[in-house]
Amino acid sequence: MTSVVVADDDVLLREGLASLLDRHGYTVAGVADDGSHLLRLVEEVKPDLAVVDIRMPPTHTNEGLAAAREIRSRFPTVAILVLSAFVEVEHAIELLASGERIGYLLKTRITDVEEFLETLHRVQDGGTVVDPAVVQELVAAHRRRDPLDVLSPREREVLALMAEGRSNAGVAKQLWVTEGTVEKHVRSILTKLDLPETDETHRRVLAVLTFLEAASAGT
């Protein structure tokens, strides 16, 4: 039978999960209420699977994520399912980047027992499982991507200097290139940012506004 450890600081959820897994053929090798306890438990019993809450004592921020990273580093054969009460895209991306036999699921999914058990099986079998709500957030985040991503590093430099109010000649002097080279960069910037075909001055202003809005969103 598959051995599993469960880590969650909520005693009702922790014991409820352990009982659920036990009733469905898993061997519950232990339960833990914080990240340190979980790591000691994994080291001791070498389970096939770890079910881990992402937020545990002492700070209730990302202790479970840190423990999952440590488990993946030290015990790479252990499958990991991380549970979260909220959609946390950054945590999900970091976790999923660690490879196969990994899952990220919202706790609300546990209300559907069959779906939850199916998720466990897929993770055990080497799959990567992402909660549908997280997928939606990842897609939305992609749609909200930095509009300046289309620019090359040099074009970003040119646009940053334009935002400082420099003319083409001023940009050329700052970058130690010819004014003609700067003009080519500016034309490329305006084209890539898909700015409307109006007078050149107006388009430069729109480009600078795009730069400032992107900078503001990133702070």
Side-chain angles (χ1 to χ4, degrees):
M1 290 194 297
T2 300
S3 62
V4 59
V5 295
V6 177
D8 197 301
D9 65 311
D10 184 323
V11 63
L12 292 179
L13 181 57
R14 183 174 69 240
E15 296 302 326
L17 274 175
S19 176
L20 172 68
L21 294 172
D22 181 66
R23 292 198 309 273
H24 286 83
Y26 287 84
T27 298
V28 179
V31 295
D33 57 6
D34 61 39
S36 299
H37 186 189
L38 170 62
L39 290 174
R40 292 196 302 272
L41 193 58
V42 170
E43 185 172 17
E44 178 183 345
V45 303
K46 304 293 192 306
D48 300 306
L49 172 68
V51 180
V52 185
D53 181 17
I54 205 166
R55 298 188 178 192
M56 291 189 290
T59 67
H60 294 276
T61 54
N62 65 343
E63 284 80 6
L65 183 67
R69 285 198 301 261
E70 185 72 12
I71 292 170
R72 178 45 51 93
S73 174
R74 294 172 54 193
F75 311 99
T77 62
V78 177
I80 302 170
L81 177 65
V82 170
L83 302 177
S84 178
F86 310 99
V87 176
E88 299 174 275
V89 172
E90 290 184 7
H91 288 167
I93 292 173
E94 181 179 350
L95 180 71
L96 297 171
S98 67
E100 60 182 18
R101 295 167 62 82
I102 202 83
Y104 184 100
L105 200 64
L106 294 182
K107 289 185 177 182
T108 53
R109 300 290 170 182
I110 301 176
T111 57
D112 187 327
V113 174
E114 292 305 318
E115 183 178 340
F116 177 65
L117 293 173
E118 174 61 24
T119 295
L120 290 180
H121 289 313
R122 288 165 59 194
V123 171
Q124 285 174 240
D125 291 342
T128 298
V129 177
V130 187
D131 194 285
V134 177
V135 173
Q136 291 176 4
E137 284 293 322
L138 290 170
V139 171
H142 178 71
R143 289 172 179 164
R144 297 192 299 266
R145 67 182 177 82
D146 184 351
L148 304 183
D149 282 346
V150 295
L151 304 182
S152 70
R154 177 58 103 184
E155 288 167 348
R156 280 177 173 261
E157 285 184 289
V158 170
L159 183 53
L161 292 171
M162 288 166 57
E164 293 177 8
R166 299 177 189 268
S167 64
N168 286 359
V171 173
K173 183 177 180 180
Q174 182 70 21
L175 297 180
W176 294 85
V177 297
T178 67
E179 190 170 343
T181 297
V182 173
E183 289 174 357
K184 290 180 181 178
H185 284 314
V186 171
R187 284 197 297 270
S188 178
I189 290 168
L190 299 179
T191 299
K192 287 183 177 180
L193 294 182
D194 196 25
L195 296 175
E197 291 288 345
T198 58
D199 66 275
E200 193 74 4
T201 301
H202 181 60
R203 294 179 78 200
R204 285 176 70 100
V205 172
L206 291 177
V208 167
L209 288 174
T210 301
F211 174 84
L212 295 176
E213 289 172 358
S216 175
T219 57

